[in-house]
Amino acid sequence: MSQNHAAHTAHVGPWVIDTREIGHRAGSSRAYTRSAPAPAGLGLDMIKVPEGEPVELDLLAESVVEGVLVSGTAAATLAGECVRCLDPISDEVEVEVRELFAYPDSATDASTDDDEVERVVDDLIDLEPVVRDAMLLSLPSAPFCSPDCPGLCTGCGVKWAELAPDHTHEIIDPRWAALQERLGGTEEEK
């Protein structure tokens, strides 16, 4: 094996497809089913795919005139916190992926900006940015443990679900607080 080929294949990992496996003839294709470790930061503040958690990829890469069209699904387990009560939550996410990776010097490559379409670089395509974008767009910005989660009491921080129905906190108007201190409490306390 040549050193160039060995260096080339060293860059291939679970997120990378070597387009030489497919061929550059339009119409040829290859299915890929693999598991890739989730990269750091695959998610939002309150919910994400934990780093290293497997992301299951089930994809079809098709050679087309302008490049390689990748379509299929990516699925992973999510972990996070409910935005109302801060309980841990776990969920599954599955997203559809469909992206054209343009060949160098193709009409698509020449007529689009760098951020408009992905590119085939050194016969390799990196799936991670495409899967990351699809997953981030599908995640809820405010995840709940249940749709009717009552959240936390703003006065004491205890979950409303664990408090008695008549739970309240006496809120004193700050303008009257000095008077209450001078007189030694409320009428009910005397």
Side-chain angles (χ1 to χ4, degrees):
M1 182 184 319
S2 72
Q3 286 181 347
N4 189 24
H5 181 69
H8 186 73
T9 56
H11 295 292
V12 178
W15 287 104
V16 178
I17 292 176
D18 189 338
T19 62
R20 292 178 300 174
E21 298 171 348
I22 304 163
H24 289 265
R25 193 182 75 206
S28 58
S29 65
R30 181 165 181 205
Y32 293 89
T33 302
R34 57 174 71 165
S35 182
L42 184 55
L44 306 172
D45 289 338
M46 297 301 284
I47 193 159
K48 62 182 139 201
V49 179
E51 184 175 355
E53 187 74 23
V55 178
E56 303 302 326
L57 304 171
D58 188 11
L59 305 168
L60 178 65
E62 302 172 83
S63 183
V64 295
V65 173
E66 293 297 311
V68 177
L69 178 64
V70 176
S71 56
T73 60
T77 301
L78 298 170
E81 292 179 334
C82 174
V83 295
R84 289 185 182 155
C85 69
L86 303 178
D87 273 352
I89 56 175
S90 180
D91 201 1
E92 301 290 321
V93 63
E94 182 172 304
V95 294
E96 294 288 326
V97 176
R98 186 171 182 85
E99 187 74 28
L100 174 66
F101 291 82
Y103 288 133
D105 302 322
S106 67
T108 301
D109 182 46
S111 65
T112 58
D113 292 333
D114 288 343
D115 61 347
E116 287 183 284
V117 68
E118 296 291 331
R119 305 294 200 266
V120 176
V121 179
D122 296 331
D123 292 323
L124 302 175
I125 54 178
D126 186 3
L127 301 168
E128 183 187 329
V130 174
V131 172
R132 176 187 300 273
D133 290 350
M135 283 201 175
L136 288 176
L137 290 172
S138 73
L139 295 179
S141 58
F144 301 113
C145 59
S146 69
D148 59 342
C149 175
L152 303 174
C153 172
T154 57
C156 61
V158 176
K159 294 179 194 173
W160 277 111
E162 298 173 358
L163 295 171
D166 60 343
H167 176 78
T168 61
H169 294 276
E170 183 178 335
I171 300 173
I172 300 171
D173 188 325
R175 297 172 289 187
W176 294 101
L179 183 59
Q180 181 183 1
E181 287 175 20
R182 185 162 174 81
L183 296 176
T186 63
E187 287 296 319
E188 295 146 42
E189 293 173 342
K190 290 183 181 178

